[in-house]
Amino acid sequence: MKRLLLPLILFLALLAPAMANRLLIPMDEAQKNHLKAYGIAYWVLKTHDTEIDWLLNYRGGSFMMSQSQAFVNEMVIRGVSYEVISEAQAAQIMAEVQSPDANMDAVKLQKPPKVAVYSPKTKQPWDDAVTMVMTYAEIPYDVVFDSEVLDGKLPEYDWLHLHHEDFTGQFGKFFHFKDQPWYIAQKQEAEGIARKYGYNKVTQMKLGVVKKIRDFSLGGGYLFAMCNATDTYDIALAAQNTDMVDAFYDGDGFDPNVNSKLDFRETMAFRNFQVYTNPYMIEFSNIDNQPEERGLAEHNDYFSLFQFSAKYDPIPTMLTQNHMNVIKGFMGQTTAFKKAYLKPEVVVMAENRAAGEARYIHAPYGRGFFTFYGGHDPEDYRHEIGEEPTDLNLHPNSAGYRLILNNILFPAAKKKKQKT
């Protein structure tokens, strides 16, 4: 009997790896921690010489990779749900995903992008959702600001996030906070950098920064921005040959004909907008859909993700992977983009159709890409200044935060030629 059992045990031991040697990270409702799952994917790419299959539109955009005890251990430590599957099951999943009749596909994630966050040294704890979610997901990043940008450091990175920032040089138009220590520190920091690089005004220095970032994207970089880093970026480009800033912020008056001198050939995402020169109005232009125009409140503020063809439009498909199609809205200094002011090449990936607004947009730019996401903190509807930062331990399955993390993995994908 023992002689019979020994070969059977050896056979099963040899067979086991062949039967169960893939790991599936589900990204549907079965996932306990969607946000940290992205961190696992990034960690696998960064620390191990292996590829990951990103299964677009399969169970919320799941990840599949080779089996490794090190991977399993890390997922257990981080609280990420996973399933051990056989090669036969993996082949069946791939056949389903690649079926011509299914709106699914698989892309190979290969090399993790080197990530930079444009953020001031005076950043406050409540300031930036992207740094919060990358820290929570355990995705490493470097912090750069005006000095590093002007010194030409951006080509060292693949992916750049623009911190909640006013690129018009008006310090967010937060005139009513002018006596607060954080405002004073922010203003002093910007003025010091302007002097260091020979600019007469902060507005001129910020335009220099914007042009360096533009060159980064034109050269193949991936640019991601939220809140008022989106519209003020384009406003700075459009107004580069005039002066839209009141003496309250830059020491000299604005051009009363500024709106007739805006050059929309210079902008990335927006056109035909008008800027607001009133220094006491905490708004920059008519791009942003205002609360009184939106007619929405926290209880009914939602936006819907578009569903793209995974096989024909893989890039917007990657950027919209989620376990929810309808996502609760959230405000920011720039909350949403009026669709009437979008350039025709811009792809709207999420909208509130009734309010006539886009919340999440994307387009190629030169050899690179940009993605703009309206609002400030996906899990804090109003996001008041001075509040404690959001505790993402309370929101591990945040659909709004998932959209940010899609953008971080997107540059890791093996490029496929877009068919439309």
Side-chain angles (χ1 to χ4, degrees):
M1 185 67 178
K2 289 182 179 179
R3 284 198 298 265
L4 292 173
L5 281 175
L6 185 58
L8 179 61
I9 292 170
L10 289 172
F11 173 75
L12 291 174
L14 292 170
L15 185 63
M19 293 178 63
N21 59 357
R22 290 289 183 114
L23 294 172
L24 179 73
I25 302 179
M27 294 297 280
D28 55 11
E29 298 295 345
Q31 180 54 252
K32 292 185 297 187
N33 197 316
H34 288 93
L35 305 186
K36 284 190 179 289
Y38 286 92
I40 286 289
Y42 192 97
W43 175 80
V44 168
L45 293 172
K46 186 174 178 63
T47 60
H48 296 76
D49 186 20
T50 187
E51 293 182 338
I52 296 173
D53 289 304
W54 195 358
L55 307 177
L56 305 182
N57 292 345
Y58 177 81
R59 297 185 62 181
S62 299
F63 303 108
M64 189 165 65
M65 63 192 74
S66 59
Q67 185 183 10
S68 163
Q69 191 58 48
F71 300 167
V72 170
N73 292 345
E74 196 67 24
M75 284 187 273
V76 170
I77 291 169
R78 300 193 193 188
V80 172
S81 306
Y82 68 94
E83 299 171 12
V84 180
I85 61 174
S86 67
E87 284 289 357
Q89 289 173 305
Q92 186 177 7
I93 290 171
M94 290 298 287
E96 178 184 353
V97 164
Q98 295 175 338
S99 168
D101 298 328
N103 185 19
M104 294 184 277
D105 204 0
V107 296
K108 294 284 187 186
L109 299 180
Q110 297 177 312
K111 182 181 178 182
K114 188 174 181 184
V115 174
V117 173
Y118 171 89
S119 182
K121 308 298 185 289
T122 54
K123 182 178 79 71
Q124 299 300 310
W126 60 81
D127 269 349
D128 190 30
V130 175
T131 54
M132 287 194 292
V133 76
M134 284 198 291
T135 300
Y136 179 76
E138 301 179 56
I139 295 174
Y141 61 90
D142 292 341
V143 176
V144 299
F145 198 46
D146 294 328
S147 293
E148 289 80 5
V149 173
L150 293 170
D151 285 340
K153 299 292 186 182
L154 290 187
E156 299 175 11
Y157 299 93
D158 305 300
W159 190 91
L160 174 67
H161 164 58
L162 303 183
H163 163 88
H164 168 77
E165 180 71 16
D166 172 11
F167 287 104
T168 70
Q170 297 176 93
F171 309 105
K173 285 194 168 182
F174 289 145
F175 66 93
H176 53 297
F177 291 109
K178 66 182 184 302
D179 297 322
Q180 293 293 315
W182 60 265
Y183 182 95
I184 295 169
Q186 178 191 69
K187 189 170 184 291
Q188 289 175 342
E189 181 181 17
E191 290 171 344
I193 295 171
R195 286 193 299 271
K196 176 183 175 182
Y197 289 89
Y199 292 98
N200 293 323
K201 300 189 294 184
V202 170
T203 52
Q204 295 170 348
M205 182 268 288
K206 287 295 184 183
L207 177 60
V209 169
V210 163
K211 288 182 174 180
K212 287 282 191 180
I213 294 171
R214 178 193 61 189
D215 293 344
F216 165 78
S217 295
L218 286 170
Y222 298 83
L223 178 65
F224 179 79
M226 288 186 71
C227 200
N228 65 333
T230 57
D231 55 347
T232 65
Y233 180 89
D234 259 9
I235 291 167
L237 286 170
Q240 63 182 280
N241 296 316
T242 183
D243 189 340
M244 63 163 287
V245 180
D246 189 88
F248 186 92
Y249 294 111
D250 73 350
D252 58 30
F254 64 88
D255 185 341
N257 298 313
V258 59
N259 279 310
S260 65
K261 296 180 179 180
L262 298 176
D263 188 351
F264 302 114
R265 296 171 300 179
E266 296 289 338
T267 58
M268 292 176 71
F270 306 109
R271 65 176 183 174
N272 301 333
F273 56 83
Q274 299 282 281
V275 299
Y276 298 140
T277 55
N278 182 347
Y280 305 106
M281 182 180 185
I282 310 179
E283 188 56 74
F284 301 93
S285 77
N286 58 355
I287 294 171
D288 186 17
N289 213 12
Q290 295 299 300
E292 61 274 12
E293 297 171 308
R294 303 180 72 225
L296 300 171
E298 186 169 2
H299 71 280
N300 65 349
D301 191 349
Y302 292 89
F303 59 91
S304 301
L305 291 175
F306 280 90
Q307 188 170 61
F308 297 91
S309 170
K311 293 180 175 65
Y312 287 86
D313 293 305
I315 291 174
T317 302
M318 279 185 269
L319 296 177
T320 53
Q321 290 302 287
N322 222 303
H323 57 292
M324 299 176 68
N325 290 323
V326 177
I327 298 175
K328 62 182 181 180
F330 51 99
M331 297 179 70
Q333 196 168 0
T334 299
T335 297
F337 318 119
K338 291 176 183 170
K339 290 193 287 185
Y341 300 126
L342 295 177
K343 287 192 168 185
E345 63 269 27
V346 171
V347 176
V348 176
M349 299 187 294
E351 69 171 3
N352 184 313
R353 184 172 296 178
E357 65 185 29
R359 294 298 305 258
Y360 186 44
I361 61 176
H362 171 79
Y365 190 70
R367 295 170 57 196
F369 301 87
F370 71 85
T371 302
F372 290 170
Y373 189 14
H376 197 98
D377 184 336
E379 294 297 337
D380 183 349
Y381 185 72
R382 291 195 174 277
H383 186 78
E384 301 291 343
I385 288 177
E387 288 184 344
E388 289 297 313
T390 299
D391 183 358
L392 289 179
N393 288 298
L394 303 176
H395 308 283
N397 308 107
S398 172
Y401 269 102
R402 275 197 69 177
L403 297 180
I404 298 172
L405 295 174
N406 285 335
N407 282 270
I408 291 174
L409 286 189
F410 157 56
K414 182 179 180 181
K415 304 303 177 288
K416 290 185 178 184
K417 186 176 181 180
Q418 198 154 330
K419 300 178 184 178
T420 60

